[in-house]
Structures are given as structure tokens and as C-alpha cells.
Amino acid sequence: MRSVGIKVFVAIICALLLTSHTPAMAHTALVSSSPRNGAILQASPKNFVLRFSETLAQIDGKKINTMKVMGPSKVRVKLNAMKVMKTSLSTTPLQPLTIGRYEISYRVVAKDGHTLKGNLRFTIK
Ligand SMILES: [Cu+2]
């Protein structure tokens, strides 16, 4: 019967969806960044790019994917607007950064609704 076939099909899809997101699996993760964590740079980075393992969620008018850059003496670096492109979040500094240690902290929401927070550091020599 046709309806039995559909039920089996639906059951298989449900099973796949459940196993594809078990608690043991990590949700979205940071895949790469520019600058890299621990990087020692000779000059100011032209941009900040974070790439994640999952597509980021976007809600019109809400800044749900953000990063913050703190510089020497805990001075917050002024950044241009955040750009979200599928799995990446990027921005550029308003002005070139000076010598010192910096920390990027980020908070993103993946399309599955899960939030990821983290931070990384880099130094300009
Ligand atoms: Cu998740």
C-alpha cells in the first residue's frame, strides 16, 4: 500500500534527523579564524574572520552573531559592521591596530538554534 511506503519513508527520515544531532556530537564549532589563535603578527590585521562548522542563523534587525576585540589596556577596538556569509562572521577594524596583545571574543547562533561563545588571542609585534 502506498501509505505504508510513505510511513516507512517518514520513519527513516526521522531516524536520520535524530541521529544526525545526538548530544554526543558537537554542535557548531569554530573551524578557522583570521588571525589564528595565538598568532603573532607584524602588522595590523586587515580583517577579522571566523569560520564555523554550521551555517549561522540570521534574524533581521538583530545582532545575534557578534565579535568584540579588546586591545591593550582593555581598550575595545572599534569595528565596522558584522558580516555574516553562511558559515562565516567577519568584520574590519575602523583603524589599523597598534602593537600589543588582543583578544577576540565571539558569540554566534547556528541555524539549529544553538549558541557558541569563545575567544582567541593574537599579538601585534
Ligand atoms: Cu546544535
Side-chain angles (χ1 to χ4, degrees):
M1 265 169 79
R2 197 191 171 129
S3 66
V4 172
I6 289 167
K7 277 175 191 165
V8 169
F9 178 75
V10 169
I12 290 167
I13 295 297
C14 286
L16 286 174
L17 287 174
L18 286 173
T19 52
S20 71
H21 215 126
T22 58
M25 273 179 71
H27 300 296
T28 194
L30 184 69
V31 172
S32 66
S33 68
S34 178
R36 275 194 256 171
N37 189 25
I40 296 168
L41 309 174
Q42 306 298 320
S44 173
K46 293 225 169 21
N47 50 27
F48 302 105
V49 186
L50 305 176
R51 286 187 196 84
F52 298 91
S53 58
E54 289 183 44
T55 301
L56 300 178
Q58 284 184 272
I59 302 171
D60 280 346
K62 289 204 176 182
K63 292 171 184 172
I64 57 170
N65 302 294
T66 60
M67 69 175 107
K68 188 173 90 174
V69 181
M70 296 297 286
S73 315
K74 299 267 178 209
V75 175
R76 189 169 173 169
V77 174
K78 289 193 176 106
L79 302 171
N80 287 302
M82 297 288 145
K83 280 185 194 164
V84 176
M85 282 276 288
K86 290 182 181 177
T87 60
S88 78
L89 174 66
S90 63
T91 187
T92 51
L94 223 60
Q95 291 170 342
L97 309 187
T98 55
I99 286 168
R101 291 162 154 267
Y102 291 83
E103 184 181 67
I104 302 173
S105 48
Y106 58 85
R107 182 189 184 282
V108 297
V109 182
K111 267 206 165 157
D112 69 0
H114 290 118
T115 300
L116 179 71
K117 286 190 224 175
N119 53 66
L120 35 104
R121 289 157 203 274
F122 67 94
T123 303
I124 304 173
K125 269 196 160 177

